[in-house]
Amino acid sequence: MLMSLLRFLALLGCCSLPQFVSAFVANSKTAFTPVTTTTTKGTHQDNHVCPCAAAAKSFLLVGTRAKIARANENMMACHSSNRSHKIALFSQTSAKTETEVTHVVLETLEKRLKKGSLTDEEKITAIEASDFLLDRLDELDKGDAPQQMEQDSNVHEQQQQQQQQQQQIYDEHDLRTAVAQMDTNAISQMIQSGLEMDEATTNEAFWTVVQAVDLAEAQDRPLPANVTQMLHHIFDADRKHLLLREKHTTNVTCMQPDDSQGLEGAARKMNYIFDDGDHKNLPLMPGRKCEGGNCCDKCSRNIFPTFASDAECDLETFPELSAFTFNNLETASAGTILQFVRLVERVRRTIAYEYGLPLKTILPLQAYSRKYVAGMTQKGGGGGEGDFVTLHTDEATHSGYHYSCVLYLSTQGEDFEGGNFVFNDPVPKSSQEEEEEGSKDVNYQEYSDEIDEDLLELLKRGELPDEIIFNEDKQDDEAAATSLDSLEDEIRRAGRVLTPFHPTRGSAVIFSSGWENMHEVEKITSGVRYAVPCFFTTCPVPDAAYEQMHVGKPKTDEDIADDWLHLLLAHRKEEPMESVGRVKELLMKWHYMCAPLSEH
């Protein structure tokens, strides 16, 4: 407190602290005469008007010279006693510690301001306090201040060094050791101290978890809580690693079906419902439908050339990834199950990051892996083994699909040919109008002499005949087939802008699921393509749904581990209805299983 008072006084103006306190003690009446300052260093004269001195005089202004003389006599009487004894008395008496002395000065000033005068006793007390302050100032002048500042600086440096030492207590070797020992508490402390799990350490942690799960199953024991805690660290690390990898983002305008076009619009919608080829003609308007959910109002397409490493997509290491579904886990290895969950969770966290959504509001609605084989006919909405996927919109397929991803497990040109993933957009209006100014029949004219007119009309309507009879000559057949394929491609491209993506192992496409992102998969001409489509919703799960579960939301780390075991890792035979119920519960509990309790 003394130092705070001294610093405050020093800020008052032009004079030094010794000058101010000397003026305070001397209590000279005239503020506009030269100030004589007396300190233990000697006497000197300032030949300028000092506002600080004037302020000091105004605090303890004595009305007459007689009072000044009497005050000086009292001061001299104090000095007649042993000076060191007096200082010792101030130092030893609890009432006259530095804090108390400061209080005396402040109280004296307050009384003077309130009462307008001081008693002799009060003046003596103030002079003694001021003398004590002068002695302290003298000590500061002799070097205490720099020493104190140096001490303060040293203390600050020591504190910083201690903090740095606390952060440097651990190193990468300690982190790897903790990972190998599944010491999740130590890992948490190391991460809080500033360490991060690099990709190699994260993969070591993953396989440590796999071993722990296999051991628990072999010994028929409950899954330890530190297994799921380690998984949470892995998921966090995966997301951070992805931030350092290449990404290409294209922002697009969100689109939804246009309900304002009356009967004509309704008719076009009916065409769309009954004819997949007419999907591109659906009337649209800007905006995000996001039925029942809480989507971001921004839409985009995100390409990640290296969303996962080759090792993470290796079908020899994870053979069940070639055809994985949560409904059939009886024969899937723990490693494959955990790896599939790891990849899906990486997508979920990426969606939350890219679209600025709270992680807990995003849940997987469907996720599976499939193979697409050249020469196979597609059945269903993209989940079969067909060699192409027709033009579609994910949110039109299921109203709860709000964000989509396709992760690739094989590479075009190595494992298969063809099979581009294609975003299919309308030509910008201005360009389309310019194109329509030319001949509307130019796309079809060059083929009119080679193709039957009835067949041409069918193709223009997006239809195909049940049977096509070509000339008996093989060369003519091949030419006709080539001509037909070319015509189909011309029709497909008419008025559209196609943006293909060439799949590679570990790459991923993540995008908003609305009508702004119509897409298709071109025909695979040879080989097999493996991919992981997954779809996410922002529709909230009602609390009543959790209450109807046999075991509701997890409340402890042990509860989370039990859910992982029961819903994913039990390796038990199930009836179809039983597996459907389990998967439904799994997807609703996904966030509670894949995030620590602090994020529930």
Side-chain angles (χ1 to χ4, degrees), residues 33 54 60 73 129 145 160 163 174 191 235 317 341 343 596:
T33 57
L60 289 177
E73 291 175 0
Q160 286 185 328
Q163 293 176 354
D174 297 325
I191 291 175
F235 299 153
T317 305
V341 172
L343 293 173

Side-chain angles (χ1 to χ4, degrees), residues 240-269:
K240 292 178 180 178
H241 300 156
L242 189 61
L243 290 174
L244 303 177
R245 298 177 188 167
E246 184 180 1
K247 181 191 72 167
H248 306 285
T249 296
T250 301
N251 296 319
V252 294
T253 302
C254 301
M255 302 298 291
Q256 59 182 327
D258 188 353
D259 297 325
S260 64
Q261 297 191 15
L263 292 176
E264 180 183 354
R268 293 171 69 185
K269 287 182 181 179

Side-chain angles (χ1 to χ4, degrees), residues 348 359-360 363 588-595 599-600:
R348 186 176 80 104
L359 182 61
K360 64 181 180 182
L363 295 175
M588 287 193 292
K589 282 186 171 182
W590 188 278
H591 177 75
Y592 298 107
M593 294 170 59
C594 293
E599 298 179 17
H600 287 189

Side-chain angles (χ1 to χ4, degrees), residues 447 449-452 455 459 468-488:
Y447 303 106
D449 295 335
E450 303 176 13
I451 301 177
D452 183 86
L455 175 59
L459 292 174
I468 300 177
I469 301 177
F470 296 106
N471 296 331
E472 295 181 1
D473 185 88
K474 184 176 181 181
Q475 292 182 350
D476 290 341
D477 289 348
E478 292 177 353
T482 301
S483 178
L484 179 60
D485 290 341
S486 299
L487 181 57
E488 287 179 337

Side-chain angles (χ1 to χ4, degrees), residues 152-401:
D152 292 342
S153 177
N154 291 338
V155 170
H156 181 66
E157 290 179 1
Q158 290 174 0
Q159 292 175 346
Q160 286 185 328
Q161 290 174 359
Q162 289 175 356
Q163 293 176 354
Q164 292 174 357
Q165 288 173 357
Q166 290 176 354
Q167 293 179 351
Q168 295 172 0
I169 288 176
Y170 307 109
D171 58 21
E172 294 296 335
H173 174 74
D174 297 325
L175 183 57
R176 289 193 296 271
T177 300
V179 164
Q181 297 174 351
M182 289 282 288
D183 189 347
T184 53
N185 290 331
I187 294 172
S188 298
Q189 293 176 2
M190 294 178 193
I191 291 175
Q192 290 175 359
S193 73
L195 283 178
E196 293 186 357
M197 294 169 58
D198 59 20
E199 293 192 26
T201 304
T202 304
N203 288 328
E204 290 175 13
F206 173 79
W207 288 110
T208 301
V209 167
V210 172
Q211 293 173 3
V213 171
D214 288 340
L215 180 62
E217 183 176 17
Q219 297 179 349
D220 195 21
R221 292 188 293 106
L223 197 64
N226 62 352
V227 167
T228 54
Q229 291 170 345
M230 181 75 87
L231 284 170
H232 299 158
H233 286 310
I234 292 171
F235 299 153
D236 287 339
D238 282 347
R239 177 70 199 107
K240 292 178 180 178
H241 300 156
L242 189 61
L243 290 174
L244 303 177
R245 298 177 188 167
E246 184 180 1
K247 181 191 72 167
H248 306 285
T249 296
T250 301
N251 296 319
V252 294
T253 302
C254 301
M255 302 298 291
Q256 59 182 327
D258 188 353
D259 297 325
S260 64
Q261 297 191 15
L263 292 176
E264 180 183 354
R268 293 171 69 185
K269 287 182 181 179
M270 292 303 294
N271 289 337
Y272 152 68
I273 292 173
F274 290 106
D275 183 3
D276 288 338
D278 202 47
H279 185 79
K280 64 182 181 180
N281 298 321
L282 182 69
L284 302 174
M285 63 180 181
R288 189 75 205 269
K289 188 172 183 180
C290 191
E291 185 174 336
N294 299 287
C295 300
C296 173
D297 60 358
K298 307 298 182 184
C299 297
S300 66
R301 304 163 182 174
N302 302 278
I303 307 295
F304 294 86
T306 315
F307 188 83
S309 66
D310 286 347
E312 291 175 322
C313 304
D314 188 356
L315 295 181
E316 293 185 3
T317 305
F318 308 106
E320 298 89 355
L321 279 184
S322 61
F324 185 92
T325 172
F326 285 124
N327 293 87
N328 185 13
L329 300 178
E330 181 183 1
T331 60
S333 66
T336 298
I337 296 172
L338 291 170
Q339 181 64 12
F340 189 83
V341 172
R342 181 184 179 186
L343 293 173
V344 174
E345 178 63 10
R346 190 179 305 174
V347 175
R348 186 176 80 104
R349 293 181 180 231
T350 301
I351 291 170
Y353 178 83
E354 294 296 334
Y355 294 99
L357 297 172
L359 182 61
K360 64 181 180 182
T361 66
I362 304 170
L363 295 175
L365 200 57
Q366 190 174 26
Y368 54 87
S369 64
R370 286 288 185 273
K371 65 178 179 179
Y372 302 86
V373 184
M376 297 290 290
T377 301
Q378 175 67 50
K379 296 179 181 180
E385 296 184 356
D387 57 6
F388 75 98
V389 178
T390 189
L391 180 66
H392 66 285
T393 295
D394 290 339
E395 195 169 348
T397 303
H398 192 303
S399 62
Y401 290 173

Side-chain angles (χ1 to χ4, degrees), residues 20-214:
F20 182 90
V21 178
S22 297
F24 179 92
V25 177
N27 202 18
S28 177
K29 179 175 174 53
T30 304
F32 298 98
T33 57
V35 179
T36 300
T37 304
T38 303
T39 69
T40 54
K41 287 185 174 182
T43 301
H44 66 276
Q45 189 175 64
D46 290 337
N47 292 317
H48 67 281
V49 177
C50 179
C52 294
K57 297 166 195 171
S58 66
F59 282 134
L60 289 177
L61 186 59
V62 180
T64 65
R65 292 184 181 277
K67 290 182 179 181
I68 294 174
R70 190 162 55 250
N72 288 333
E73 291 175 0
N74 290 330
M75 182 180 67
M76 294 303 297
C78 292
H79 278 283
S80 64
S81 60
N82 189 305
R83 182 180 183 85
S84 61
H85 171 75
K86 175 168 66 73
I87 295 175
L89 181 63
F90 268 81
S91 301
Q92 294 172 8
T93 305
S94 61
K96 290 199 172 56
T97 61
E98 291 186 3
T99 301
E100 294 299 330
V101 169
T102 306
H103 284 167
V104 169
V105 175
L106 295 176
E107 289 172 2
T108 303
L109 298 178
E110 182 180 8
K111 288 180 181 179
R112 179 65 188 91
L113 292 173
K114 290 182 178 179
K115 295 166 57 178
S117 63
L118 293 173
T119 65
D120 291 343
E121 183 179 354
E122 289 171 339
K123 285 184 289 184
I124 293 172
T125 303
I127 291 172
E128 290 177 345
S130 301
D131 193 47
F132 180 80
L133 291 176
L134 280 171
D135 289 332
R136 292 293 295 133
L137 287 170
D138 187 50
E139 294 175 5
L140 293 175
D141 284 340
K142 291 179 179 179
D144 280 359
Q147 291 177 1
Q148 183 64 38
M149 292 178 63
E150 184 177 357
Q151 291 175 1
D152 292 342
S153 177
N154 291 338
V155 170
H156 181 66
E157 290 179 1
Q158 290 174 0
Q159 292 175 346
Q160 286 185 328
Q161 290 174 359
Q162 289 175 356
Q163 293 176 354
Q164 292 174 357
Q165 288 173 357
Q166 290 176 354
Q167 293 179 351
Q168 295 172 0
I169 288 176
Y170 307 109
D171 58 21
E172 294 296 335
H173 174 74
D174 297 325
L175 183 57
R176 289 193 296 271
T177 300
V179 164
Q181 297 174 351
M182 289 282 288
D183 189 347
T184 53
N185 290 331
I187 294 172
S188 298
Q189 293 176 2
M190 294 178 193
I191 291 175
Q192 290 175 359
S193 73
L195 283 178
E196 293 186 357
M197 294 169 58
D198 59 20
E199 293 192 26
T201 304
T202 304
N203 288 328
E204 290 175 13
F206 173 79
W207 288 110
T208 301
V209 167
V210 172
Q211 293 173 3
V213 171
D214 288 340

